[in-house]
């Protein structure tokens, strides 16, 4: 798919078909994620890939439908390195930014492959750490269920550009 088409076609999906993803497909998604830019190229991210029966644990962590996706990524920062390089909270902020850019790359790649996902920010942090034995050095910032959409989803509207953009300088 051409890039602009993927940007326009990406949308959040909360219902998935029964199709499983292959290991190669998951690797393709993760490869796209890790091509994202990152602060001083420290790549302060870590991805847990949850498949099969392990997905049932998400029922104790977030909305039940999340466990119906064939794969759920647990998106984490791994920020010890960047935090020792940048103080005053900047390192921690950079790590969250890194993972966010990686997540969008993954979603665009998923769209390119005919798949969909939905970033999940509403989850129980402690339950997620407990259920999936996430070590302290990895801080969970989002969950990302991905799969083939069960049905087409209408696009959600966006605010008009003039509401969210301020030009500074000469009018083009
Ligand atoms: C930081 C963040 C947190 C989100 N958390 C949730 C969530 O907990 N549950 C959910 O169903 N969707 C969640 N979403 C998805 C948004 O609802 C969705 O991106 C937005 O409504 C725009 O729709 P679209 O992605 O289809 O364009 C989240 C998105 C972001 C970026």
């Amino acid at each position: 798919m051409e890039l602009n088409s993927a940007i326009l076609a990406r949308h959040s999906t909360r219902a998935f078909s029964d199709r499983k993803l292959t290991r190669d497909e998951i690797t393709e998604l993760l490869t796209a994620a890790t091509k994202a830019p990152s602060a001083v190229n420290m790549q302060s991210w870590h991805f847990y890939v949850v498949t099969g029966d392990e997905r049932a644990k998400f029922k104790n962590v977030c909305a039940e439908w999340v466990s119906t996706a064939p794969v759920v990524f647990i998106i984490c920062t791994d920020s010890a390195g960047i935090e020792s390089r940048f103080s005053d909270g900047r390192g921690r902020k950079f790590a969250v930014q890194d993972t966010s850019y990686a997540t969008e790359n993954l979603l665009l790649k998923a769209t390119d492959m005919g798949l969909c996902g939905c970033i999940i920010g509403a989850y129980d942090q402690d339950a997620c750490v407990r259920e999936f034995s996430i070590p302290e050095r990895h801080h969970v910032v989002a969950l990302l269920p991905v799969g083939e959409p069960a049905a087409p989803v209408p696009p959600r509207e966006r605010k008009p550009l003039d509401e969210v953009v301020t030009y500074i300088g000469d009018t083009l």
Side-chain angles (χ1 to χ4, degrees):
M1 190 183 284
E2 188 254 329
L3 175 64
N4 196 46
S5 305
I7 290 171
L8 295 177
R10 187 217 57 81
H11 58 269
S12 296
T13 306
R14 298 170 181 84
F16 303 93
S17 77
D18 291 337
R19 182 165 97 69
K20 291 193 169 91
L21 270 63
T22 65
R23 180 67 180 256
D24 283 351
E25 286 176 310
I26 291 171
T27 301
E28 273 191 74
L29 293 170
L30 290 166
T31 301
T34 58
K35 293 293 182 190
S38 67
V40 284
N41 196 27
M42 286 188 80
Q43 303 160 59
S44 306
W45 47 52
H46 193 90
F47 307 91
Y48 290 86
V49 183
V50 185
T51 56
D53 293 345
E54 288 289 311
R55 293 170 302 157
K57 293 178 176 174
F58 284 109
K59 291 175 186 159
N60 303 322
V61 171
C62 56
E64 203 165 333
W65 64 264
V66 172
S67 61
T68 67
V71 58
V72 184
F73 299 95
I74 303 175
I75 314 275
C76 298
T77 59
D78 183 356
S79 61
I82 200 148
E83 281 190 63
S84 63
R85 188 147 171 182
F86 295 97
S87 55
D88 305 333
R90 282 186 302 157
R92 188 175 294 238
K93 187 183 81 173
F94 286 153
V96 173
Q97 289 175 311
D98 292 354
T99 56
S100 303
Y101 306 136
T103 302
E104 176 67 352
N105 261 22
L106 196 159
L107 282 171
L108 288 174
K109 182 63 186 177
T111 305
D112 180 54
M113 294 163 64
L115 304 170
C116 281
C118 183
I119 296 167
I120 301 296
Y123 61 91
D124 183 327
Q125 186 84 16
D126 293 339
C128 189
V129 166
R130 191 175 57 245
E131 292 288 348
F132 298 101
S133 305
I134 309 287
E136 216 171 300
R137 69 178 186 280
H138 294 155
H139 180 71
V140 181
V141 292
L143 309 177
L144 183 61
V146 171
E148 186 181 70
V153 177
R156 304 204 67 183
E157 292 216 351
R158 292 300 190 257
K159 294 175 183 175
L161 284 185
D162 60 8
E163 213 178 291
V164 297
V165 177
T166 303
Y167 284 92
I168 299 174
D170 294 339
T171 305
L172 301 173

